[in-house]
């Protein structure tokens, strides 16, 4: 195995070669690679796309490889189009014959040609997410006891299974080990039954879903080796971008295509693997050298994006991960401004600091479009949106919608409107079957038609359900809904605004339905609803008033948000602050980045602290956020944060402990350095804990404490690693991932832990 890292300037012959001159030494080595497997470990901002583009051009120009023999796979259509265009600029029209596509695009092309070999008739349909849900809904009506099951949860379980290339039978055998009970709270056997019926209906309809495009291609290659051989002739030289993000199906496809000629170049960075919730398996890139023992490894370690101060923070953070391939990013830019740390009193002060700092930077000539605010969860955007709006700063949310336009928020506010106004037909119809309570669209339309015929409000038609629906079984469900709404109407007159919203979430079953769904999407929706309760509680404490008054305020905020978004998109498209989650920020870069919410329960997220693997992915997520910054980086945490209307102490993220003391410059709300070091240089405080309260630690003896990452031994469970700490004193707890027993949560004073 040969390894090459980035180094200095090109040699004299290379300087004269337009394909090699723009590259550094490691990039040139990867470009010159001809035959056999290769792994390009491409650090953030290290020019991996340029390397792939020049390698393809070099194959065609220097080695007379036919463009019809080159396959390049990316994860987005935009990336595929950009890659092909850039090769076209280098070598001209020959690039038009390259095969550049996403995994799904490449596989669909194969299935359209050879799908009949696996039972797909020409012209087969492709079902999108909505089609999948419609099919699952129709199936659930045919299975006794499953009529009210959550189709979204079932779709999530089936998607996970198909990403692993599991049949319904394999799902039944494996899912209990991997998933326990499925996301809908049903037994694995029941989900497997629905899965089997779903598959049968797809085949009956001559249709595939999005995951089938990959799975059926794997099936085709395994059952028709002659087809695989033909496709391999079209993929003699294979390039796979973002290899760390491949799932089991994509891994199997890549292995099959590369099996004959073995000219596979995998490009990626395990330090940026953040999509396990989409079934991505980081082991695919970590084990590449095991899969291909003769692979050449090229490390791209020169970073062209970020200032030296930013890269030093990134390197210090990520080196704490065990599951990675060693590399050391080095800056080509100057040191730049120090990375700043601001400790806000609460989430509102955090948002105000961001708005104030953006205004200050704007006064120094920084464009709003150069500023991005990154956060772990969509729910965090609400206070940021409001703070920027108050400051008169337009903002756009990338990969999301304004807080008050999110479906779950609109649903709960619609319940509130319906409880306050029996004449609000739109609100009553919106919430009639949200969450599902067995009142289908047919019944809703019959009730609406009855109301129209008799000149009634929709709510009055519900009270006449026996006549409107002709005595069907749905009548009882409608009566139960009317009784619920009567209770809510009474509560609206007696409860404080935040209490009423909490009552809506509880009594309607909306929260429980999302908890039962258990998907990544439902978790985000739960967080948004917690933020809604907090928003009402904050408004209540600041302004007072009834829930009706809050509805007016929310309507105004929505209207302003809409205008702000419209202004940002249409009037000043290049001059708005960008708000987005860390996951959505992957692949982007900004001169100025604000990383907010650097606290336990947020980053790492409360749902991702049960194993060392989850903790390491959360650390990678922060690493991705840090490496989005080109010039300036602000890291922010809060001493307290409101959740479900309750203000709770917020412990600084354990990841801040990964950074060496003195690495961050602590500043106040005006951006002024808080303390000076012995030589007059700016220096941060010596403790990462919030000044208002000590960080919780666990102790196993005098002077011994846990912060996470320690190797320990338990008399029963054996060796393990501490991944989480909570509580104080006698209530101190640690979460330990043991090699054999898995994750365990232990009360420190009784755990009998020893340092390993």
């Amino acid at each position: 195995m040969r390894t090459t890292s980035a180094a200095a300037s090109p040699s004299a012959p290379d300087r004269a070669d337009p394909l090699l001159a723009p590259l550094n030494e490691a990039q040139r080595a990867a470009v010159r690679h001809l035959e056999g497997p290769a792994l390009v470990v491409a650090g953030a901002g290290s020019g991996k796309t340029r390397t792939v583009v020049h390698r393809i051009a070099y194959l065609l120009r220097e080695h007379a490889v036919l463009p019809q023999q080159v396959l390049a796979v990316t994860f987005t259509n935009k990336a595929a189009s950009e890659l092909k265009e850039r090769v076209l600029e280098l070598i001209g029209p020959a690039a038009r014959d390259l095969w550049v596509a996403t995994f799904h695009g490449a596989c669909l092309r194969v299935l359209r040609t050879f799908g009949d070999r696996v039972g797909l008739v020409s012209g087969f349909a492709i079902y999108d997410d909505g089609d999948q849900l419609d099919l699952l809904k129709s199936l659930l009506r045919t299975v006794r006891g499953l009529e009210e099951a959550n189709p979204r949860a079932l779709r999530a379980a089936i998607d996970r299974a198909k990403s692993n290339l599991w049949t319904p039978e394999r799902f039944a055998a494996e899912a209990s080990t991997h998933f326990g009970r499925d996301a809908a709270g049903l037994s694995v056997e029941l989900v497997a039954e629905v899965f089997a019926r779903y598959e049968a209906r797809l085949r009956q309809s001559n249709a595939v879903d999005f995951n089938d495009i990959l799975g059926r291609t794997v099936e085709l290659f395994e059952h028709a080796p002659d087809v695989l051989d033909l496709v391999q002739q079209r993929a003699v030289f294979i390039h796979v971008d973002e290899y760390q993000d491949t799932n089991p199906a994509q891994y199997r496809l890549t292995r099959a295509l590369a099996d004959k000629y073995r000219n596979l170049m995998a490009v990626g960075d395990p330090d940026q693997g953040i999509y396990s919730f989409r079934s991505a398996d980081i082991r695919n890139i970590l084990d590449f050298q095991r899969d291909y023992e003769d692979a050449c490894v090229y490390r791209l370690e020169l970073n062209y994006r970020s200032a030296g101060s930013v890269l030093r923070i990134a390197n210090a953070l990520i080196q704490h991960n065990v599951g990675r391939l060693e590399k050391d990013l080095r800056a080509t830019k100057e040191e730049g401004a120090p990375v700043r740390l601001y400790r806000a009193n609460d989430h509102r002060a955090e948002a105000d600091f961001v708005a104030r700092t953006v205004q200050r930077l704007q006064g120094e000539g920084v464009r709003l479009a150069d500023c991005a605010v990154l956060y772990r969860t969509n729910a965090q955007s609400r206070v940021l949106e409001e703070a920027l709006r108050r400051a008169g700063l337009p903002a756009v949310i990338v990969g999301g919608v304004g807080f008050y336009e999110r479906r779950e928020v609109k649903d709960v506010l619609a319940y509130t409107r319906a409880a306050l106004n029996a004449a609000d037909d739109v609100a009553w119809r919106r919430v009639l079957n949200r969450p599902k309570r067995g009142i289908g669209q047919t019944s809703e339309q019959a009730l609406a038609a009855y109301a129209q015929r008799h000149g009634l409000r929709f709510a009055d038609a519900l009270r006449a359900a026996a006549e409107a629906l002709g005595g069907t079984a749905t009548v009882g469900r409608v009566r139960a809904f009317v009784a619920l709404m009567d209770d809510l109407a009474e509560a609206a007159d007696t409860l404080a605004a935040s209490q009423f919203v909490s009552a809506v979430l509880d009594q309607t079953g909306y929260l429980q339905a999302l908890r039962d769904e258990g998907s990544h999407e439902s978790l985000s929706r739960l967080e948004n609803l917690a933020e809604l309760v907090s928003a009402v509680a904050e408004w209540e404490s600041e302004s007072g008033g009834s829930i009706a008054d809050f509805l007016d305020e929310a309507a105004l905020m929505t209207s302003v948000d809409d205008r702000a978004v419209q202004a940002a998109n249409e009037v000043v498209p290049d001059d708005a602050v960008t708000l987005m989650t860390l996951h959505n920020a992957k692949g982007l870069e900004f001169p100025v980045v604000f990383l907010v919410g650097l606290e336990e329960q947020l980053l790492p997220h409360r749902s991702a602290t049960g194993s060392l693997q989850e903790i390491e992915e959360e650390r990678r997520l922060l690493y991705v956020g840090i490496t989005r910054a080109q010039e300036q980086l602000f890291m922010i945490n809060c001493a307290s944060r409101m959740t479900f209307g309750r203000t709770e102490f917020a412990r600084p993220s354990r990841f801040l402990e990964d950074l060496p003391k003195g690495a961050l410059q602590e500043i106040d709300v005006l951006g002024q350095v808080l303390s000076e070091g012995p030589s007059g240089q700016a220096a941060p405080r010596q403790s990462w804990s919030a000044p208002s309260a000590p960080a919780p630690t666990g102790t196993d003896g005098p002077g011994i404490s846990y912060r996470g990452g320690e190797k320990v031994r338990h008399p029963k469970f054996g060796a393990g690693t501490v991944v989480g700490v909570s509580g104080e004193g006698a209530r101190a707890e640690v979460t330990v991932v043991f090699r054999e027993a898995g994750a365990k949560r232990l009360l420190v004073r009784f755990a009998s832990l020893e340092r390993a």
Side-chain angles (χ1 to χ4, degrees):
M1 180 193 74
R2 299 192 303 275
T3 300
T4 302
S5 296
S9 57
S11 63
D14 289 342
R15 284 196 295 269
D17 188 332
L19 293 185
L20 298 177
L23 309 177
N24 61 47
E25 182 180 335
Q27 291 172 332
R28 294 196 303 274
V31 165
R32 287 193 178 107
H33 180 89
L34 177 57
E35 295 181 316
L39 174 63
V40 179
V41 183
S46 63
K48 68 179 177 68
T49 302
R50 169 180 286 185
T51 303
V52 173
V53 166
H54 283 250
R55 198 261 174 154
I56 293 173
Y58 201 78
L59 284 174
L60 272 57
R61 193 197 71 180
E62 293 297 314
H63 300 291
V65 171
L66 297 175
Q68 295 86 349
Q69 294 177 306
V70 177
L71 169 64
V73 180
T74 68
F75 269 79
T76 67
N77 289 315
K78 180 181 178 181
S81 177
E82 178 189 352
L83 191 152
K84 195 166 186 176
E85 286 297 320
R86 288 175 64 172
V87 179
L88 190 65
E89 290 174 5
L90 284 176
I91 65 170
R96 294 196 177 99
D97 292 327
L98 294 170
W99 190 8
V100 184
T102 63
F103 270 105
H104 289 87
C107 289
L108 182 58
R109 178 173 171 178
V110 172
L111 288 179
R112 288 295 186 197
T113 306
F114 301 106
D116 61 306
R117 302 288 292 275
V118 285
L120 290 172
V121 179
S122 177
F124 60 84
I126 302 171
Y127 281 9
D128 61 17
D129 289 352
D131 297 325
Q132 280 184 275
L133 285 177
D134 290 342
L135 176 53
L136 285 168
K137 290 173 186 176
S138 68
L139 288 173
L140 290 176
R141 289 194 289 268
T142 69
V143 181
R144 184 178 297 277
L146 293 185
E147 295 87 351
E148 297 306 308
N150 190 318
R152 293 181 182 276
L154 288 167
R155 182 184 66 187
I158 291 172
D159 284 347
R160 286 197 303 270
K162 290 192 174 189
S163 293
N164 283 284
L165 297 174
W166 290 352
T167 62
E169 296 75 23
R170 178 82 182 277
F171 176 86
E174 300 278 358
S176 57
T177 301
H178 287 75
F179 305 130
R181 294 176 69 82
D182 75 281
L186 306 171
S187 69
V188 167
E189 291 76 16
L190 278 175
V191 177
E193 180 183 349
V194 176
F195 185 6
R197 295 190 183 201
Y198 172 81
E199 288 291 272
R201 284 285 295 274
L202 281 177
R203 293 177 187 266
Q204 178 184 342
S205 303
N206 189 35
V208 296
D209 61 27
F210 204 58
N211 285 291
D212 280 333
I213 294 174
L214 305 182
R216 299 299 292 276
T217 305
V218 172
E219 178 187 350
L220 173 65
F221 287 165
E222 292 180 348
H223 290 87
D226 59 317
V227 173
L228 175 58
D229 183 68
L230 286 172
V231 178
Q232 287 171 332
Q233 306 302 323
R234 189 67 176 84
V236 177
F237 292 89
I238 304 170
H239 307 74
V240 179
D241 194 13
E242 304 288 7
Y243 198 70
Q244 77 278 354
D245 294 333
T246 52
N247 63 28
Q250 291 159 338
Y251 172 79
R252 286 267 291 276
L253 283 164
T254 302
R255 292 273 290 176
L257 287 172
D259 183 59
K260 184 171 185 177
Y261 296 104
R262 304 185 75 254
N263 295 325
L264 169 63
M265 178 173 280
V267 184
D269 181 9
D271 290 342
Q272 298 185 71
I274 59 173
Y275 294 125
S276 64
F277 67 93
R278 297 179 186 169
S279 299
D281 190 343
I282 196 172
R283 293 173 300 180
N284 294 346
I285 192 168
L286 293 178
D287 294 342
F288 188 87
Q289 292 164 259
R290 185 198 64 187
D291 293 338
Y292 302 95
E293 294 181 357
D294 59 335
C296 293
V297 179
Y298 304 95
R299 287 182 168 84
L300 308 187
E301 297 177 306
L302 287 183
N303 176 283
Y304 297 93
R305 174 188 299 156
S306 302
S309 58
V310 173
L311 282 190
R312 189 165 52 256
I313 293 293
N315 287 333
L317 173 75
I318 204 62
Q319 69 180 3
H320 289 271
N321 270 12
V322 175
R324 64 187 300 259
L325 299 174
E326 281 301 320
K327 70 174 187 307
D328 183 27
L329 279 183
R330 303 190 298 280
T332 59
K333 290 185 174 181
E334 295 180 354
E335 175 68 8
V339 176
R340 268 70 61 91
L341 172 70
Y342 175 65
R343 307 174 192 273
N345 287 328
D346 57 28
H347 54 293
R348 288 174 293 183
E350 174 185 64
D352 288 340
F353 169 79
V354 170
R356 185 179 293 108
T357 304
V358 170
Q359 283 182 314
R360 176 173 58 79
L361 292 171
Q362 190 181 28
E364 297 172 2
V366 176
R367 297 185 313 139
L368 296 183
D370 290 339
C371 301
V373 188
L374 310 183
Y375 37 81
R376 176 62 176 84
T377 69
N378 277 309
Q380 291 170 260
S381 73
R382 196 266 306 177
V383 288
L384 293 163
E385 291 175 74
E386 293 178 2
L388 291 168
R389 187 188 69 247
R390 288 194 301 270
L393 300 171
V396 290
I397 299 177
V398 175
V401 295
F403 181 80
Y404 289 99
E405 287 299 303
R406 292 169 189 167
R407 185 181 72 189
E408 60 280 3
V409 173
K410 293 184 72 172
D411 283 349
V412 173
L413 294 182
Y415 265 112
T416 304
R417 287 164 43 203
L420 292 171
N421 182 6
D424 191 339
D425 287 0
V426 172
W428 279 79
R429 292 189 68 170
R430 181 181 181 95
V431 301
L432 178 62
N433 202 38
R434 294 188 184 183
K436 290 186 176 300
R437 49 177 59 92
I439 306 173
Q441 187 175 11
T442 301
S443 296
E444 180 195 343
Q445 291 172 346
L447 290 162
Y450 181 88
Q452 187 173 13
R453 285 198 307 272
H454 294 82
L456 300 174
R457 301 176 301 188
F458 186 74
D460 295 330
L462 296 179
R463 298 181 188 280
E467 181 179 347
L469 300 177
T472 64
T474 307
V475 171
R477 300 176 191 132
V478 173
R479 286 174 174 165
F481 173 73
V482 170
L484 166 69
M485 295 307 300
D486 287 343
D487 289 343
L488 290 178
E490 183 177 345
D493 291 332
T494 57
L495 295 179
S498 59
Q499 292 176 321
F500 176 74
V501 173
S502 296
V504 169
L505 293 172
D506 182 46
Q507 293 180 31
T508 62
Y510 205 105
L511 275 186
Q512 191 58 50
L514 289 173
R515 291 184 184 121
D516 289 344
E517 181 176 329
S519 66
H520 181 77
E521 180 184 1
S522 69
L523 177 61
S524 178
R525 296 189 187 284
L526 281 168
E527 290 168 340
N528 286 335
L529 292 178
E531 185 62 23
L532 175 62
V533 177
S534 297
V536 179
E538 286 178 14
W539 170 84
E540 201 171 46
S541 65
E542 294 172 357
S543 306
S546 67
I547 187 61
D549 296 326
F550 177 80
L551 282 181
D552 291 343
E553 183 77 10
L556 290 174
M557 285 187 283
T558 301
S559 177
V560 172
D561 285 345
D562 288 344
R563 288 196 297 271
V565 170
Q566 183 179 14
N569 286 335
E570 297 178 8
V571 180
V572 282
D574 294 326
D575 201 20
V577 179
T578 298
L579 306 179
M580 67 172 71
T581 65
L582 287 161
H583 284 100
N584 283 331
K586 174 82 180 297
L588 302 177
E589 57 187 40
F590 300 90
V592 181
V593 168
F594 297 86
L595 289 173
V596 300
L598 296 181
E599 301 138 30
E600 292 293 301
Q601 306 299 311
L602 271 179
L603 193 63
H605 193 270
R606 63 182 64 87
S607 67
T609 56
S611 71
L612 184 60
Q613 290 75 20
E614 289 176 329
I615 291 293
E616 292 207 342
E617 178 154 334
E618 292 291 294
R619 186 179 282 112
R620 292 194 294 268
L621 193 55
L622 178 55
Y623 175 81
V624 166
I626 291 171
T627 54
R628 299 312 94 193
Q630 295 172 301
E631 308 295 342
Q632 298 190 59
L633 175 63
F634 296 85
M635 305 178 76
I636 312 166
N637 62 12
C638 298
S640 64
R641 190 173 290 273
M642 185 173 282
T643 304
F644 272 114
R646 298 188 301 273
T647 298
E648 299 177 348
F649 168 70
R651 181 186 172 215
S653 170
R654 71 189 72 183
F655 299 144
L656 291 174
E657 295 282 358
D658 293 340
L659 306 179
K661 300 304 181 185
L664 304 180
Q665 183 185 81
E666 190 170 349
I667 60 175
D668 64 16
V669 69
L670 299 177
Q672 301 299 307
V673 179
L674 281 178
S675 58
E676 296 292 330
S679 63
Q681 297 297 315
R685 295 174 182 167
Q686 292 303 303
S687 172
W688 292 121
S689 304
S692 58
T697 60
T699 61
D700 53 5
I704 300 176
S705 64
Y706 298 107
R707 294 186 175 184
E710 296 88 352
K711 304 296 182 184
V712 296
R713 180 171 294 279
H714 186 273
K716 177 180 179 181
F717 303 127
T721 303
V722 176
V723 298
V725 184
S726 63
E728 300 177 52
R731 293 182 295 176
E733 293 182 340
V734 289
T735 301
V736 183
V737 178
F738 294 100
R739 294 175 188 169
E740 301 296 333
K744 301 289 183 182
R745 191 170 181 177
L746 306 171
L747 199 62
V748 173
R749 59 177 175 152
F750 298 126
S752 301
L753 292 174
E754 297 179 357
R755 298 299 174 95

